[in-house]
Structure formats: C-alpha cells, structure tokens
Amino acid sequence: IQHQAVGRTLIKIQTEVVPTGKMDDIVAMLKEAVSVGVGTEDAPRDVGAPEEVKARDTWRRQLETIKTPTGIPPLDERLGGGLGPGELGVIMAGPSRGKTTGLIQFAINAVMHGRKNVFYVSREQDFFKLGTKLDSCLLGMTRAELMMKPKSTRKRWEELYADTKARIKLKKYKKPCNADEILADIRQMETRDSFKTELLIIDYADKMKPLVQRKVDSNYDIQGDIYQDIFDLCAELNIP
C-alpha cells in the first residue's frame, strides 16, 4: 500500500508540481505518502512462523549484496544498499538542476564499484558531449586530454575494463521511443556484442511514449503509463 502511494505521488510531483516550480510542496506530499499504512493494521510487519521470518531475513540480506549503489551514502542507506533487481528509481527536479549529472554519477558508480554493465538511454542530451563527460569522469582525464591523447584514453579504458569487467553503452533515440524498443536494443546488444545490461538508465523518461496509446485526461496518466512500462521492463529483465 505504501509503495503504491509513493509511486502515485512521485508521478504527481513530476507532472504537476515540478512544472509549476512550487518545490516546497514536494516534502509535504512525500511525507503524506510514506505515512500511508503506518499505525494501522496495514503497516508492514513480520508475520509467520520463526523459520519463515528467518528465510525472509536471509533473502533481504542476499538482495542487499546484489543491489546497485547510487553512490549517495544517505540514499543507499535508505534503499538498503541501492536499487535492487526490478526496482525503479526516479530523479525529479526543475530544468538545469543536475538531473543528468546525477544519472552520470550513478552510471559511473555502477561501473566502478558495482562492476555492472550500464545501458544509458538519452532523449535530449547531445550524444558526443554526454560520451565525453562520461569518459572524463570515468578515466580521470580532462576533455582536452581525451581529444589530444587518444592512445592514453584507449589504454585507460582497457585498464578500467580489465579491472571492473564492466562497460557503459550509450544510445540516443532521435524520436520518442517506448519500452519495447529499448528491450529490443538490449536483446540485440546481448546477442551481437555479448553485452548483458545490468543497469538501465533513461535520461528524460518523460520524453518516451507509452506502449498503449489510450485516451487520457491528463499528462499525469500518460506519465503513469510510461513509468509502468519501464517498471515492467526492468521486472522482466530483473535489473534496476
């Protein structure tokens, strides 16, 4: 119940609050959402025989070991180690507030510390600038060094891959895509390049289109359909 309330609230914030710039309303809305079920019979609790509770605790600990840390300690602590398989995280903020920078740092952390392959999907960012920024952050080189020292760049990439066995693949969709198109690309990369996506990052998911085009009353409903499609995609692939 609580997860559903938080999910609905996140979509409402993205579609109704962020465009208006009334950022002070967000905290109150989130507090109300996370309070759903608390202090009632619907509140989360451990039930069942002792062996069942023990099994659930073991499962939770195992899940923490396969989660992908965001690289933000307070957030990772709240998430129990990061985003787990099939889980969906959304970054919401106004224009030019650092959303893409946050996603880039998440991708870098997944490669460097989580040792996971990342498929980074972009709808608005310039492909060359995005790739250069990722290279610069991952390799610890300035943009000038990347351009002037291609041999050093390649050597550092080889060293990084030898250490982490993880890579980042970028793709920019020129037209609004849907979850099935992203899934097709993931399957193709796995077959063609032996690249198994372990973390999917979508920059500007609100620029996607839902799988099912239906008549709706508001942008809120469209965004809800898009995020549900992404959630189903991640659940099918068992990745965050």
Side-chain angles (χ1 to χ4, degrees), residues 75-142:
L75 180 58
D76 288 332
E77 183 177 351
R78 293 284 295 177
L79 294 174
L83 285 177
E87 292 183 338
L88 174 66
V90 181
I91 296 178
M92 294 178 294
S96 302
R97 296 296 181 90
K99 297 185 295 296
T100 295
T101 299
L103 292 175
I104 287 175
Q105 291 300 323
F106 187 16
I108 291 172
N109 193 72
V111 171
M112 299 294 290
H113 303 292
R115 287 171 163 70
K116 296 181 183 295
N117 287 329
V118 179
F119 182 32
Y120 194 114
V121 173
S122 176
R123 268 288 292 125
E124 289 198 344
Q125 296 298 314
D126 179 90
F127 189 84
F128 178 76
K129 289 182 178 179
L130 180 60
T132 301
K133 191 169 186 177
L134 276 166
D135 284 344
S136 178
C137 294
L138 273 169
L139 304 179
M141 300 173 67
T142 66

Side-chain angles (χ1 to χ4, degrees), residues 171-189:
K171 177 157 185 177
K172 179 175 181 179
Y173 291 85
K174 295 182 179 180
K175 298 181 180 179
C177 62
N178 60 36
D180 278 354
E181 292 174 88
I182 293 176
L183 177 60
D185 283 326
I186 289 175
R187 298 296 191 198
Q188 185 181 52
M189 288 188 297

Side-chain angles (χ1 to χ4, degrees), residues 5-38:
V6 172
R8 289 193 295 268
T9 299
L10 288 174
I11 295 173
K12 189 173 183 179
I13 290 172
Q14 171 70 9
T15 57
E16 298 181 11
V17 179
V18 172
T20 66
K22 298 180 180 179
M23 310 306 286
D24 292 340
D25 295 341
I26 293 178
V27 174
M29 293 173 67
L30 288 174
K31 283 183 177 180
E32 181 179 355
V34 299
S35 67
V36 172
V38 176

